[in-house]
Amino acid sequence: MELVYPYDFRLTEKEKTNICYLSFPDSYSGGLGDSQFSFRLRQSGGQRNTHFGDDGEYNREAPLTLQRESAHYFGYVYFRQVKDSSMKRGYFQKSLVLVSRLPYVNLFQSLLQLIAPEYFDKLEPCLEAVCNEIDQWPPPVPGQTLNLPVMGIVIQVRIPSRVDKPGSSPLKQFNQENLLPAPLVLPSVQELDLFRCFQSVLIHIQMLWELMLLGEPIVVMAPSPTISSEMVLALTSCLTPLKYCCDYRPYFTIHDSEFKEYTTRTQAPPNIVVGVTNPFFIKTLQHWPHLLRIGELKMSGDLPKQVKVKKLTKLKTLDTKPGIYTSYKTFLHKDKTLIKRLLKGIQRKRPSEVQSALLRRHLLELTQSFIIPLEHYIASLMPLQRAITPWKNPPQIRPFRQEDFMKTLEHAGPQLTCVLKGDWLGLYRRFFKSPNFDGWYRQRHKEMTQKLEALHLEAICEANIVAWMKDKSEVEIVDLVLKLREKLIRARCHPLPVKEETLQRVGLYIETIIGSLPEDLQTVLHHH
């Protein structure tokens, strides 16, 4: 590793080693020139301060799929390999890597396309100048369009927000502001060209969506880190707006510090999608239940050759043909209308981004059809508002009972919004065992608990505190002061969906209550 910038950024030795191995193709690739790919790396060596101040505020407003990660780094790589007789190996090989906690693959890869060629030419001074410019960039605020100046160009991009309507196009929300020179407008910070990524597996999109939904272990075997990382990221984006809660590695090498953990046969494969290029993995990961082998991506005027589903026993260690090697049987039937629409698009030479939008819309509607019944059921577990009284702890959220949920499906199941037939009940039962259900349920439960807290604070604000205090002992009143203070601290530390004026009124209530007590107690409580 020649250089780390900023100089004060601390990486552990383990992280440095992993980054070095992940920044180069793992197996011989004869391709000369430049290529770009990405990886995801587990942080080692405890928590570190970020340069961004409050992660919490960003994560509360960003879509779940774009939150800043606390335990992983994303690496965005620009790799150059050109013939150079002055080098020992006869080649110049170098990578410029951008490391971030944000999954903004489009923004960071576009940035590298501008910086890397200049850096390889002019080296460190160029990087220092670029980093000084990036230091001046505003922090990413969900819902805002940012203008980011770098090397005489302005990159314009909108940061998605949690309140955006799923599936809406960010392009229409841009404000051009008559910038000169005209900005480089990115349609999205993170969306990939799904149609290009999935072109050889379009007829199996249903199966891949189910495997991702259920958090199944999948190996993506590709000819290059670029294809492997794009396919893994495309797969993890399949479930939007549901967050994919399992681990994923867009590109993984045999030198990785987690290699032993993933290849061990003493326990079941982990819930992870891993992208690899070294054929050696076919042998070491033979016991994994699903392997997707893809070839080079070639966009032709016709429907690209579709891979076949094959039995795992057909896996040949070195000469493995493209295909999905699995014994998985889908719960839902294939959607033939989607394939027909995409085919029509190919015949009419529709642009790839239009085909991608069709595909994204299909996957979004599929996920929403699956998740809406769960959302309706979990909302019914919330206590009624009238059950929330000011002077008692708020009632508990009722437990999630799988069988009760299953009973709701007959009248309010996915069939209301989705034409696909199949064993939806079986799919839900498998989903309940997956990390994605666990992640979804924890997130919803946390949001509902915060909503209850907020409703309770509002109920306290609307109550007549003086009337309540009339027949209460000092012990009860002091107890209320301490409880209200604790509530206020919690509301400030984990911002609740509650107005600032409500919190101020609770603060005034506390002062009013303390003011009604004897002076010695007032002194104690003011110091407390």
Side-chain angles (χ1 to χ4, degrees):
M1 194 177 280
E2 284 180 4
L3 175 70
V4 175
Y5 207 96
Y7 301 120
D8 61 349
F9 189 72
R10 294 278 165 262
L11 288 165
T12 63
E13 286 309 309
K14 191 176 176 183
E15 286 166 348
K16 280 184 184 171
T17 307
N18 279 338
I19 288 171
C20 285
Y21 280 123
L22 287 165
S23 302
F24 286 85
D26 184 20
S27 45
Y28 172 74
S29 85
L32 291 175
D34 296 357
S35 62
Q36 287 183 265
F37 55 93
S38 48
F39 60 80
R40 184 167 172 269
L41 173 78
R42 191 184 292 172
Q43 181 182 303
S44 64
Q47 283 293 319
R48 261 159 281 179
N49 292 336
T50 66
H51 289 263
F52 297 102
D54 183 18
D55 272 0
E57 194 174 337
Y58 169 82
N59 279 353
R60 273 191 303 280
E61 293 174 15
L64 294 173
T65 50
L66 285 183
Q67 288 183 331
R68 191 178 274 130
E69 296 223 11
S70 58
H72 291 87
Y73 292 121
F74 293 96
Y76 303 96
V77 183
Y78 191 106
F79 170 67
R80 173 167 286 183
Q81 175 170 284
V82 286
K83 280 189 173 159
D84 185 341
S85 53
S86 68
M87 295 283 180
K88 199 166 150 191
R89 290 178 166 188
Y91 286 100
F92 167 92
Q93 289 177 313
K94 194 175 268 195
S95 284
L96 181 64
V97 186
L98 190 154
V99 176
S100 171
R101 293 187 184 280
L102 290 164
Y104 293 173
V105 60
N106 271 1
L107 172 60
F108 293 137
Q109 291 291 19
S110 302
L111 182 60
L112 282 172
Q113 279 170 17
L114 298 172
I115 302 169
E118 283 286 305
Y119 167 68
F120 293 139
D121 199 24
K122 298 176 183 153
L123 301 178
E124 199 174 332
C126 151
L127 206 55
E128 198 162 330
V130 162
C131 289
N132 286 336
E133 284 189 287
I134 292 172
D135 278 346
Q136 306 304 312
W137 286 5
V141 177
Q144 283 192 10
T145 296
L146 303 183
N147 293 312
L148 310 171
V150 63
M151 289 171 51
I153 288 170
V154 175
I155 300 174
Q156 189 178 75
V157 69
R158 183 180 179 276
I159 307 296
S161 156
R162 201 176 287 196
V163 295
D164 292 346
K165 188 168 168 278
S168 63
S169 162
L171 275 174
K172 294 173 189 132
Q173 296 147 354
F174 274 141
N175 174 13
Q176 288 297 340
E177 292 176 19
N178 300 327
L179 286 170
L180 287 168
L184 167 66
V185 178
L186 300 184
S188 156
V189 281
Q190 91 295 0
E191 283 182 355
L192 297 163
D193 184 341
L194 275 195
F195 181 66
R196 197 173 59 84
C197 296
F198 286 148
Q199 57 173 320
S200 64
V201 292
L202 289 170
I203 60 172
H204 307 298
I205 216 79
Q206 188 70 45
M207 175 189 273
L208 294 171
W209 176 83
E210 284 187 25
L211 292 174
M212 294 305 290
L213 181 74
L214 302 173
E216 286 285 311
I218 303 174
V219 185
V220 172
M221 178 82 210
S224 69
T226 307
I227 296 171
S228 122
S229 58
E230 283 194 344
M231 178 56 99
V232 172
L233 291 176
L235 285 169
T236 58
S237 75
C238 269
L239 301 181
T240 306
L242 187 67
K243 185 179 181 178
Y244 177 71
C245 296
C246 307
D247 199 356
Y248 61 97
R249 299 298 159 94
Y251 172 52
F252 189 75
T253 77
I254 55 175
H255 307 287
D256 202 287
S257 55
E258 274 101 60
F259 178 73
K260 278 198 178 75
E261 186 186 321
Y262 295 161
T263 52
T264 176
R265 292 179 183 235
T266 55
Q267 58 205 57
N271 300 90
I272 176 173
V273 181
V274 60
V276 299
T277 59
N278 193 328
F280 179 68
F281 276 107
I282 292 183
K283 191 174 179 186
T284 52
L285 299 178
Q286 247 173 346
H287 60 298
W288 279 41
H290 320 285
L291 186 139
L292 168 57
R293 177 80 160 100
I294 42 177
E296 289 290 347
L297 296 183
K298 295 185 188 76
M299 286 304 261
S300 58
D302 213 354
L303 180 68
K305 189 165 188 255
Q306 298 295 291
V307 305
K308 293 189 169 75
V309 174
K310 305 178 182 187
K311 290 193 172 68
L312 282 160
T313 48
K314 290 264 170 46
L315 263 182
K316 293 189 185 71
T317 312
L318 285 169
D319 180 31
T320 297
K321 290 191 165 57
I324 301 178
Y325 294 83
T326 179
S327 54
Y328 180 81
K329 297 280 178 281
T330 56
F331 285 91
L332 306 179
H333 306 322
K334 264 184 197 160
D335 185 356
K336 298 207 173 87
T337 54
L338 172 74
I339 302 299
K340 282 178 188 158
R341 287 175 74 189
L342 291 171
L343 261 173
K344 195 176 275 181
I346 292 169
Q347 286 155 5
R348 292 180 178 173
K349 297 191 169 44
R350 234 188 249 140
S352 187
E353 57 266 29
V354 179
Q355 296 278 70
S356 282
L358 261 177
L359 205 45
R360 195 169 275 113
R361 175 107 234 136
H362 168 78
L363 290 165
L364 173 72
E365 286 170 0
L366 190 53
T367 304
Q368 283 180 322
S369 293
F370 183 81
I371 222 76
I372 285 168
L374 283 161
E375 297 283 4
H376 282 163
Y377 174 70
I378 203 164
S380 74
L381 304 177
M382 186 82 166
L384 295 171
Q385 202 157 342
R386 63 169 179 268
I388 300 166
T389 57
W391 316 122
K392 280 186 191 158
N393 281 334
Q396 295 286 304
I397 297 163
R398 291 195 301 285
F400 189 107
R401 298 192 199 284
Q402 293 179 12
E403 289 313 313
D404 289 353
F405 165 71
M406 294 304 224
K407 285 174 194 159
T408 67
L409 293 177
E410 198 180 335
H411 302 295
Q415 71 278 6
L416 296 182
T417 50
C418 187
V419 293
L420 285 192
K421 298 278 185 282
D423 181 11
W424 286 95
L425 295 181
L427 188 58
Y428 280 114
R429 285 192 204 283
R430 273 284 283 275
F431 177 67
F432 289 142
K433 297 180 186 138
S434 80
N436 288 329
F437 170 70
D438 188 56
W440 171 83
Y441 177 72
R442 280 168 193 262
Q443 175 67 27
R444 282 291 172 268
H445 199 272
K446 181 176 146 194
E447 287 167 5
M448 286 161 74
T449 308
Q450 289 179 339
K451 180 73 179 155
L452 266 181
E453 279 279 317
L455 289 169
H456 193 222
L457 277 173
E458 282 164 16
I460 290 166
C461 277
E462 285 160 18
N464 184 338
I465 202 124
V466 181
W468 178 85
M469 281 164 35
K470 268 184 191 154
D471 55 348
K472 298 295 181 286
S473 67
E474 279 179 10
V475 174
E476 287 174 294
I477 291 172
V478 169
D479 185 51
L480 177 69
V481 168
L482 297 178
K483 276 186 177 158
L484 285 181
R485 268 196 183 152
E486 194 189 328
K487 272 189 172 301
L488 212 47
I489 289 166
R490 265 211 313 270
R492 295 250 184 246
C493 293
H494 309 282
L496 298 177
V498 71
K499 292 191 186 84
E500 179 59 35
E501 62 198 75
T502 304
L503 298 180
Q504 286 171 358
R505 277 177 71 184
V506 174
L508 285 172
Y509 270 17
I510 294 171
E511 293 306 314
T512 307
I513 300 166
I514 293 175
S516 73
L517 292 166
E519 273 189 25
D520 56 339
L521 265 179
Q522 284 192 37
T523 312
V524 171
L525 286 169
H526 277 305
H527 283 296
H528 187 70

